[in-house]
Amino acid sequence: MQVTVNGAAAEVADDATVAELVAAHSTGHDRVAVALNGDVVPRTGWAQTPLTAGDSVEVLAPTAGG
Amino acid sequence: MLGGETFTSRLLLGTGGVPSLEVLERAVRASGTQLVTVALRRVEASASGSMLEVLDRNGVRLLPNTAGCRTAREAVLTSRLAREAFGTSWVKLEVIGDERTLLPDVVELLDAAEQLVAEDFTVLAYTTDDPVLGRRLADAGCAAVMPLGSPIGSGLGIRNPHNIALLREAVEVPVVLDAGIGTASDAALAMELGCDAVLLASAVTRARDPERMALAMRQAVEGGRLARGAGRIPRRWHAEASTPMHGLPEL
């Protein structure tokens, strides 16, 4: 099925979870935060949160900033 | 004292604009800072984890910001995401209302501050130099009010020193001069006006020699703080001789 990850279309398995998506998109980052359709998904809930076709996911990581 | 924590440094450093991790580390050490701002971006655009390694090994505390947010809704969500990513409920709250000047949208700012305080965030609010708004933010429960000296990254210094001094009088919480610092004298002035700390990024990270400028800012903040406590002499229109006239020889 298709979801949107950080603004780009992405193909994921029909039974994919947030945890699997994060693992695929956040190589090299340990402090990551996830928003699913505009709501925060706490790290503790990633593995229990299934994705649905059309979901919009933001996978965020630290960067420099004032 | 800030948000219930004690800091010995009164200089907060932003990491924005830093040219390399090596420069960042040298600047952090030279500045003596204990609180450093960071941001959240999409993973593909973010720095690698090594920036946090540098900050961690220098023992500084992280202060996530909400840079780029334009509404209270965006800023609240970004703060929640930052709490997840960084494991801190401290946030530098900024809600921008204008692209060219990056001036705060104060209506959205106050709305976001109220929501975040209700969610037990420690809110350090980046705001204009309006003393009345500063009081409203403090009344809303912000841990610090952070007025701009001039627009972010402009290096124009403190355009309205009187307002900064009035704002300092208007609130009990710490006042942190945030944005607009160009050089050391600007940081010293902020402290002389009564600010409790100074937050700056570009002035150091974009200086020709960031490490040396970081040291300059550290000493300026310390000097300004000392001068504030020492009590400056009143300004006079004409001179007042410092050498006594008594005993002047006739030559």
Side-chain angles (χ1 to χ4, degrees), chain B residues 164-165 168 174-175 188-197 224-225 228:
Chain B
I164 300 296
R168 175 57 289 179
V175 173
L189 175 60
M191 299 305 289
E192 288 170 5
L193 290 169
C195 291
D196 300 273
R225 172 78 178 171
R228 168 76 176 185

Side-chain angles (χ1 to χ4, degrees), chain B residues 105-124:
Chain B
D105 183 323
V106 299
V107 176
E108 297 291 322
L109 174 69
L110 185 58
D111 182 5
E114 288 169 344
Q115 292 184 52
L116 290 169
V117 168
E119 293 184 26
D120 289 328
F121 279 89
T122 297
V123 179
L124 289 72

